[in-house]
Amino acid sequence: ATHHRSPQEIMPTDARGSDRRRSTTALPPMIRLAAAAAAASACVAATAAAFAPPFRRPTATSTSSAPPTAAAGTFAACATTSLSLSRRTPPTTNFDLDAILALEEEMDAAKAAEEEKAKKANAKTEEEDSSAVGVEGEGKDEEAEDAALRSYVVPPELDGSRIDAALGALDPDLSRSLCGTLVSDGLVSVAGVSGGDGTPEVVTRKSHKVSGGDVLAVRRIPDETPEEIVPQDIPLDVLFEDEHMIVLNKAAGMVVHPAAGNWDGTVVNALAHYLAKVSSHGAGDFVLPEGGTTAEEEDGALGAVLVEGTDGEAQKFRPGVVHRLDKGTTGVLVVAKTREALAALSESFAQRRAKKAYVTVTVGNPGKRVTIDRPIGRHPTHRQRMRVVPEPSRKDLIGRRPAPGAPPRTPSQAGRRALSFVDTLAFDGRLSVAEVRIETGRTHQIRVHLQDRRTPVYGDDVYGLPDWNKRLAKTHSVERPLLHAAKLEIDHPVTGERLTFRAPLAQDMAKIVDGIWPQGREERPDLFGG
C-alpha cells in the first residue's frame, strides 16, 4: 500500500519551523491557548513600555521572566523582544507644556485688555453724551459737529462681521447701501483694529471684518435735501396740455419727482422750467412765473393727496403729481397744474376710474388672458424691494405653518391687494410681448407679479434674470426694464369728458418688439405711433 505523507512531512524543515515549534504544537489545546495568551500579553506590555514616558518606562531587570511552561521558549523570545524595545531611544517630541501654558496666559491677558478697552470706550461715550446734554447755548458749532459723529461698540455676536453689515445692524436707520457708501467715502473709523493700539483708523474697505469690542465712529453725511425745486431745461414729450393738466410721454431714465438720491433731473424739475418759460397754457398753481414752485405742504393741498405707486409714502417735492412711473419705465404720465385738477384726478385714480394699459417684454410666456390677484408688500429683508406676500395658510421658508390662534398679520405683513390682467400678444419661443392692464397701482406691481409668475420683465435689474439682462445689454445696449405705459383713460378733472391718451413705444423697446413680433406694426399700429 502506498504511504500518504502529511503536509508537515512533505514541507521542508525550514518551512515547518524549528523543533521548538513542532514540540509546541504537540501540546494539548488548552495549554497552547494559555501560552499564546501569555505571549500576546507580554508583547502588548513591552510595546506600551517602549512608548511610555521615560519616568514610567520599565527597565530590563523589572521585566518578569516567563513561567516555566512548555511555551517558555516562545514567551522568552517575546520577553527578549520587549527588553530590546525598552532599550530603544525614546521618540522625540515637540510637546512643550510650559509653552502652551504661557500662550494661554497671554491670550487671557489680551482678552482682558480688550474688554477693559471696550468698557472705557462706552464710559467715554456716555460721558460725552451727558456733557452734551448739560451744556446749552454754548459751542453750537461743536455740538452740530458732534451730532454728525456717532459711535458704536461692536457686540460679541457681531464679531467677524463685515463692517457695512455691522453698521446696518447697529443702526436700523442706516440702510446697507448707505453703510457701504459711508465706508467707501472714508467716513468710518475703527478703534481697536487687531494689532493696533486703540487709535482710530479710517477703513475704506466694505469687506473689512470687525471684532467684538471695536468702536466704530461714523461721520454722517450732511443732509443734502434742497429747500426748493430747481427749474431745469430738460426736453419733454408733451402729448396733451391745457390750463388744468399736462400729459407727457415720459422718457426712460427720468425719475418723476425729486427724492433722496435724485434731487434734480426729474420730471418735476423739467416741468418747473417748461410751465414757467415755454407753456402757452399758463403755469398753473404750483409754478411761479420766474420758475420756482409754490408746492408747500402747509396749505394742505398736497399733504392730503396720496400719490399712486408710493403706498402712502410722504413726498414733499411732488407738485401736481398724481401717479408715478418707475425710473426705467416709459409712457403716459399725467400731472395736474391746479389744485382743483389735482384733487379730481387723485380721486379718479383712488376710485379706479382711471384705466391703464402697459406693454412689456418678458422672459418666457406669461400666458393668454391671465388674471393675477396677489397681494404685494415690502420685502422683509430687502426693504427697497417689493414681493408677493405668501398666503397666511402656506408654510414659511423652513416649512412651518402658522400656529393656531396666532395674532393676525399687520397691514405691512399682509400686503395690499394688487390686481393685474396679462395677455400675451406674441411669443418667439424665448421672449414674449405682453399687454398688462392693472386695476390697482402698487409699487412695482407689474414687475413683481410677473416675477412671481416666473416670467420676469426683460432687463429688470431688480426682479429679473441677471443672465438675460446681460444678454440684453450686450446685444442691444439696453439696461432698463422693457416696460411701457402705452395707454391711459381718465375723466377730465374739470369737464368730466372721457379722454384716452396713447404713447408710442420708445425706439430701443420697439426694435426688440419688432424682432419678437414681426407683424406687430400691422396688427397693433397704435403701439408704434401709427
Side-chain angles (χ1 to χ4, degrees):
T2 304
H3 174 67
H4 295 281
R5 292 183 297 173
S6 66
Q8 288 79 7
E9 294 175 327
I10 297 174
M11 186 178 300
T13 303
D14 294 340
R16 282 179 285 160
S18 63
D19 294 339
R20 175 185 56 76
R21 187 172 182 179
R22 289 198 304 273
S23 63
T24 302
T25 57
L27 295 174
M30 294 301 295
I31 297 179
R32 290 203 308 270
L33 289 175
S41 177
C43 287
V44 171
T47 304
F51 291 96
F55 58 85
R56 293 183 180 178
R57 185 174 298 136
T59 60
T61 57
S62 64
T63 305
S64 61
S65 59
T69 64
T74 302
F75 186 80
C78 189
T80 303
T81 303
S82 66
L83 289 173
S84 63
L85 287 174
S86 66
R87 296 191 188 100
R88 297 173 66 178
T89 305
T92 59
T93 177
N94 294 327
F95 181 82
D96 190 341
L97 182 59
D98 294 336
I100 292 178
L101 293 176
L103 179 60
E104 290 179 349
E105 293 178 357
E106 182 180 352
M107 293 175 64
D108 292 340
K111 184 177 180 181
E114 184 178 346
E115 293 177 352
E116 183 66 22
K117 182 171 57 179
K119 292 180 180 178
K120 291 182 179 179
N122 288 332
K124 183 178 180 180
T125 302
E126 294 176 358
E127 181 180 356
E128 292 176 352
D129 292 342
S130 61
S131 62
V133 173
V135 178
E136 296 182 1
E138 297 181 2
K140 293 184 178 180
D141 293 339
E142 296 180 359
E143 291 178 6
E145 183 177 356
D146 292 340
L149 183 65
R150 296 187 180 181
S151 298
Y152 311 88
V153 178
V154 179
E157 57 267 22
L158 292 179
D159 183 85
S161 301
R162 287 170 52 111
I163 188 169
D164 55 350
L167 277 177
L170 293 170
D171 192 340
D173 294 335
L174 299 178
S175 65
R176 178 69 176 269
S177 60
L178 177 57
C179 292
T181 301
L182 292 172
V183 174
S184 300
D185 292 346
L187 300 176
V188 180
S189 61
V190 180
V193 180
S194 299
D197 56 358
T199 303
E201 298 181 8
V202 176
V203 175
T204 57
R205 292 186 299 106
K206 294 183 288 186
S207 60
H208 175 82
K209 301 298 177 61
V210 298
S211 302
D214 285 354
V215 179
L216 309 182
V218 182
R219 187 170 298 280
R220 299 293 299 273
I221 298 177
D223 187 8
E224 299 179 352
T225 304
E227 296 182 358
E228 61 180 11
I229 296 172
V230 179
Q232 292 179 294
D233 186 5
I234 302 173
L236 293 173
D237 184 2
V238 180
L239 301 176
F240 172 86
E241 183 187 4
D242 62 10
E243 61 271 24
H244 307 289
M245 66 178 186
I246 183 170
V247 182
L248 308 172
N249 180 10
K250 189 185 87 67
M254 288 188 71
V255 176
V256 172
H257 57 75
N262 296 279
W263 294 118
D264 56 11
T266 70
V267 172
V268 169
N269 292 109
L271 283 174
H273 169 81
Y274 173 84
L275 295 178
K277 306 295 184 181
V278 181
S279 175
S280 59
H281 297 277
D285 296 341
F286 307 121
V287 177
L288 299 174
E290 60 271 18
T293 62
T294 61
E296 300 177 355
E297 293 190 358
E298 288 76 11
D299 60 10
L302 298 180
V305 176
L306 297 180
V307 178
E308 187 188 60
T310 65
D311 289 340
E313 299 171 5
Q315 300 293 340
K316 180 178 180 180
F317 299 98
R318 51 177 174 81
V321 175
V322 181
H323 67 123
R324 298 195 311 182
L325 297 178
D326 295 334
K327 181 177 180 179
T329 303
T330 58
V332 183
L333 177 72
V334 60
V335 180
K337 295 172 61 176
T338 66
R339 291 175 172 80
E340 180 184 5
L342 177 61
L345 290 173
S346 298
E347 182 182 4
S348 179
F349 276 85
Q351 298 298 324
R352 301 181 184 176
R353 294 195 300 269
K355 303 300 180 183
K356 294 160 287 186
Y358 293 75
V359 175
T360 184
V361 177
T362 67
V363 179
N365 188 351
K368 296 287 290 184
R369 293 181 291 279
V370 176
T371 299
I372 305 177
D373 190 358
R374 302 290 302 278
I376 290 178
R378 197 162 294 279
H379 196 285
T381 304
H382 307 286
R383 303 302 296 170
Q384 302 301 320
R385 299 178 56 178
M386 310 300 288
R387 66 161 184 168
V388 168
V389 179
E391 298 176 4
S393 59
R394 295 178 60 182
K395 297 180 180 179
D396 59 15
L397 295 177
I398 60 175
R400 298 177 303 183
R401 292 187 181 276
R409 297 188 297 180
T410 63
S412 61
Q413 294 173 332
R416 302 177 67 186
R417 187 189 182 194
L419 182 60
S420 304
F421 302 95
V422 184
D423 188 22
T424 299
L425 303 177
F427 178 55
D428 67 357
R430 298 181 304 169
L431 302 173
S432 294
V433 179
E435 187 173 32
V436 183
R437 293 185 298 106
I438 58 175
E439 292 296 320
T440 54
R442 308 300 174 218
T443 302
H444 302 168
Q445 176 172 327
I446 295 175
R447 298 161 64 188
V448 172
H449 270 173
L450 289 175
Q451 180 209 33
D452 185 67
R453 196 167 176 78
R454 304 294 189 271
T455 55
V457 174
Y458 195 20
D460 193 334
D461 62 340
V462 177
Y463 305 102
L465 301 174
D467 291 341
W468 284 87
N469 295 344
K470 292 178 182 177
R471 178 182 301 181
L472 176 63
K474 182 177 180 180
T475 58
H476 299 283
S477 299
V478 176
E479 297 182 5
R480 70 173 184 91
L482 294 181
L483 181 61
H484 177 73
K487 185 174 70 171
L488 175 64
E489 297 181 24
I490 58 173
D491 297 329
H492 191 280
V494 176
T495 66
E497 179 185 359
R498 191 67 174 177
L499 302 175
T500 300
F501 302 102
R502 300 178 185 273
L505 294 172
Q507 292 184 0
D508 58 351
M509 184 172 176
K511 181 179 179 181
I512 297 173
V513 171
D514 284 335
I516 303 171
W517 190 20
Q519 63 275 26
R521 292 182 181 270
E522 297 179 0
E523 297 181 8
R524 290 291 301 274
D526 56 296
L527 301 179
F528 300 88

